[in-house]
Amino acid sequence: MKNHPWATGIFIFFVLLGWGAREAIGGIYSLGEAIQLVETLASSGLYLGAASATSSATILALMLTITGMMRRLDADFDYDVWWRINLVAKAATVSLMASLLLLLALVFPVGEFEGLPADWFIWMYNGLFAITVLVVALLATTVALLYATIHDVIATMTPDIDASAESGGEESSDE
C-alpha cells in the first residue's frame, strides 16, 4: 500500500470515523443499555455483513475475470497493473473474511445471555463495533483500489486517455 497512500488514507479515515462514532455513543453504564446496544448493532450489522460479503465475493470473481481478459488482450500491462489487481484481490479477500466473522459473531442470541456479567456485554459491543468499522473501512479501501486498477487498465488499452485528460479534454489532431 506504500505506492497508494490515498488508499491507506481512506482506510484510516473510515477507522477514525468509526472511532469518533464510538466515542460519540459514549460509555455503557448498565446491563440493559449494553444488551440494547448489542441488539441494535446486530440488526444493522447483519445487513452490512451480508452486503459486504456479497460485494467482496463479486469483486474477487471480477478480478479473476479481468485477469483472464487481460491475458487475451494485445496490450502489454506493466507490473503495476498486475500488482494492483493482486492488491484488490487481497483487500477483497480480507474484507470477505471480516464480513464472515461479523456475520458469525452476530448470530449469538444476545437476549439469552442475561446471566452474564455486564462487562461481557460491553466487550461484546466494542468487539462487534470494531469489526463493523473494519468491514466498512476495508470495503472503502477495496473500492478505491478497484477504481485505480480499472483506470490503469483503461489507460493501457486506450493510451490517448491520459493525453486527452492532460490537455483539458481536447483531442489532438494530426493534420
Side-chain angles (χ1 to χ4, degrees):
M1 298 279 283
K2 67 181 179 180
N3 293 338
H4 305 288
W6 44 267
T8 304
I10 288 171
F11 180 83
I12 291 170
F13 171 77
F14 277 97
V15 168
L16 290 176
L17 187 65
W19 178 75
R22 177 62 187 100
E23 289 298 311
I25 292 170
I28 303 170
Y29 299 106
S30 73
L31 176 61
E33 290 172 335
I35 292 173
Q36 184 180 8
L37 283 173
V38 170
E39 288 175 349
T40 302
L41 183 61
S43 65
S44 61
L46 285 172
Y47 292 112
L48 172 67
S52 178
T54 302
S55 64
S56 296
T58 302
I59 289 169
L60 284 170
L62 291 174
M63 288 294 98
L64 185 59
T65 302
I66 197 171
T67 303
M69 285 178 26
M70 287 173 57
R71 283 279 184 206
R72 285 185 239 138
L73 291 173
D74 291 334
D76 290 327
F77 293 98
D78 61 359
Y79 175 78
D80 190 49
V81 173
W82 291 107
W83 181 79
R84 278 194 184 167
I85 289 173
N86 187 39
L87 192 58
V88 169
K90 285 179 184 177
T93 300
V94 173
S95 180
L96 177 60
M97 293 301 168
S99 299
L100 294 175
L101 178 65
L102 178 63
L103 288 171
L104 182 63
L106 292 174
V107 297
F108 293 125
V110 177
E112 306 299 320
F113 296 145
E114 293 175 1
L116 294 173
D119 287 350
W120 189 85
F121 288 101
I122 293 169
W123 281 99
M124 183 176 182
Y125 176 75
N126 287 333
L128 289 174
F129 197 87
I131 295 170
T132 301
V133 170
L134 179 66
V135 166
V136 171
L138 284 169
L139 196 55
T141 302
T142 303
V143 169
L145 289 169
L146 186 58
Y147 171 76
T149 302
I150 296 301
H151 181 270
D152 280 356
V153 170
I154 291 171
T156 301
M157 291 174 18
T158 56
D160 294 338
I161 196 169
D162 288 330
S164 168
E166 288 175 7
S167 65
E170 300 171 11
E171 301 223 8
S172 60
S173 62
D174 296 330
E175 292 182 16

